[in-house]
Amino acid sequence: MPAPANENSPPVLMSMNEAVRATSLSRTMLNKYRAEDRFPTAVPLGDRRFAFVRAEVNAWIIERIARRGEAAKAVAA
């Protein structure tokens, strides 16, 4: 398991395929979320290549997990 990132660590990028695996979203849904500004902004790497900052994707996942409790409370109310 890699060491936790800190402020001095260089950013680590993840490909679209890695983001799909990490989030369990399809490529289509991930692109929809990107178009709606509901997913971290991609980093352009070339004419047809881009990647995501791993820490931003992980933060997005953590935020979604945190919202899970809020959604359950709203339904119960």
Side-chain angles (χ1 to χ4, degrees), residues 3-73:
N6 63 39
E7 294 175 12
N8 297 325
S9 298
V12 177
L13 299 177
M14 65 188 328
S15 68
M16 171 66 107
N17 288 338
E18 290 173 306
V20 165
R21 282 192 299 274
T23 62
S24 297
L25 294 172
S26 67
R27 291 176 69 92
T28 301
M29 186 58 73
L30 200 90
N31 281 324
K32 179 178 187 245
Y33 280 7
R34 289 178 57 213
E36 296 171 349
D37 291 327
R38 295 172 53 192
F39 195 76
T41 304
V43 177
L45 301 175
D47 291 341
R48 297 181 59 189
R49 184 79 175 160
F50 61 89
F52 301 96
V53 177
R54 185 177 302 278
E56 293 174 0
V57 173
N58 289 338
W60 183 88
I61 293 168
I62 290 167
E63 180 184 337
R64 298 289 289 205
I65 293 169
R67 283 193 206 163
R68 172 182 57 183
E70 295 170 13
K73 289 177 189 174

